[in-house]
Amino acid sequence: MTRVLISDDDHLMRAGLAELLSNDSTIDIVGEAATGREAVEQACRLLPDVVLMDVRMPDLDGIMATRELSRAAPGVRVLILTTFEQDDYIFGSLRAGASGFLLKRTRPEELIAAVHTIAAGDSLLSPSVTRRVIDRMAKQPTPDLADQSSLAGLTPREREVLALIARGLSNREIAAALVVEESTIRTHVKRLLMKLGLRDRVQAVIFAYENGLNAP
């Protein structure tokens, strides 16, 4: 079972999400929270697989709650679900440790699939958000780094895979580009994330650009 905590200050939204997700027999709604503070407290106590986190909430907003939760319970993964597609929300959430960012207009079947994707340890962004992340990062000047020791532990192939991840390619697309099996790419991705101390592909995209791996 995939255990989910729903955090949103709108009671009707929480009820609607709970009903929607309950249509999947493999999803168990273990709790609900109306504030960011409640979300952190309940997540630390219940240890769900995924927290569906709204951004605009009283007491503690979703971004700050995600940051606190990432430190207090790193095994709990956060999927941001919001109405607002603003850059500061997107990047604030991802930097805080969220593993996904979806808009509330997402179709029900896509939301259910996203919950399972996040629970399985992968990351997920809505297509429009993915494009904005890549475009924003690509427009930033490449850092002039005298020391790229953080990348030194990667093999040439792992650096190549990381660069392709940063361009928004899926494992299947990377495998096709490098003419190897998709399972081989999954192994490369797992190893490079472990070496760099990154949680998922979203953090890998940000890392790649911040460390000058991809020039604009």
Side-chain angles (χ1 to χ4, degrees):
M1 294 288 285
T2 298
R3 305 173 73 250
V4 176
L5 172 70
I6 299 173
S7 180
D8 196 297
D9 64 338
D10 186 323
H11 173 75
L12 290 178
M13 177 58 68
R14 293 198 309 275
L17 289 171
E19 181 177 3
L20 186 159
L21 295 175
S22 295
N23 289 327
D24 186 320
S25 61
T26 66
I27 292 178
D28 180 20
I29 307 301
V30 297
E32 297 182 11
T35 71
R37 181 62 60 195
E38 287 181 7
V40 173
E41 292 172 351
Q42 290 200 41
C44 288
R45 178 171 56 86
L46 299 170
L47 295 178
D49 299 301
V50 178
V51 175
L52 279 184
M53 185 83 76
D54 189 19
V55 172
R56 291 186 175 180
M57 290 186 292
D59 191 13
L60 194 69
D61 66 41
I63 295 174
M64 289 300 297
T66 297
R67 182 173 291 111
E68 288 197 12
L69 190 52
S70 295
R71 295 169 181 165
V76 176
R77 301 174 67 82
V78 176
L79 173 57
I80 298 292
L81 187 64
T82 180
T83 306
F84 308 99
E85 191 176 5
Q86 299 175 202
D87 280 2
D88 55 343
Y89 287 169
I90 294 170
F91 288 93
S93 299
L94 300 182
R95 291 182 189 280
S99 295
F101 192 105
L102 290 179
L103 301 176
K104 288 183 178 177
R105 63 173 180 266
T106 298
R107 291 182 298 180
E109 62 271 21
E110 292 176 346
L111 176 58
I112 291 173
V115 167
H116 288 301
T117 296
I118 298 298
D122 208 342
S123 57
L124 187 143
L125 303 175
S126 65
S128 62
V129 170
T130 299
R131 187 70 262 160
R132 289 174 74 161
V133 169
I134 294 171
D135 287 349
R136 166 87 169 263
M137 288 296 179
K139 289 175 183 177
Q140 294 181 352
T142 302
D144 181 15
L145 298 178
D147 178 16
Q148 289 197 345
S149 58
S150 57
L151 294 170
L154 300 184
T155 65
R157 178 47 63 94
E158 287 168 348
R159 288 175 64 116
E160 192 173 11
V161 171
L162 177 58
L164 293 173
I165 289 174
R167 294 175 193 166
L169 274 65
S170 66
N171 285 350
R172 180 175 299 178
E173 292 168 332
I174 295 172
L178 300 181
V179 196
V180 298
E181 295 293 328
E182 187 175 350
S183 59
T184 300
I185 298 302
R186 286 198 295 269
T187 298
H188 285 314
V189 172
K190 182 178 179 179
R191 286 177 178 170
L192 72 87
L193 291 178
M194 181 178 64
K195 288 180 178 181
L196 297 174
L198 303 175
R199 175 180 289 196
D200 50 40
R201 299 170 77 93
V202 172
Q203 292 188 353
V205 170
I206 295 175
F207 174 90
Y209 282 102
E210 288 184 338
N211 285 273
L213 185 61
N214 278 15

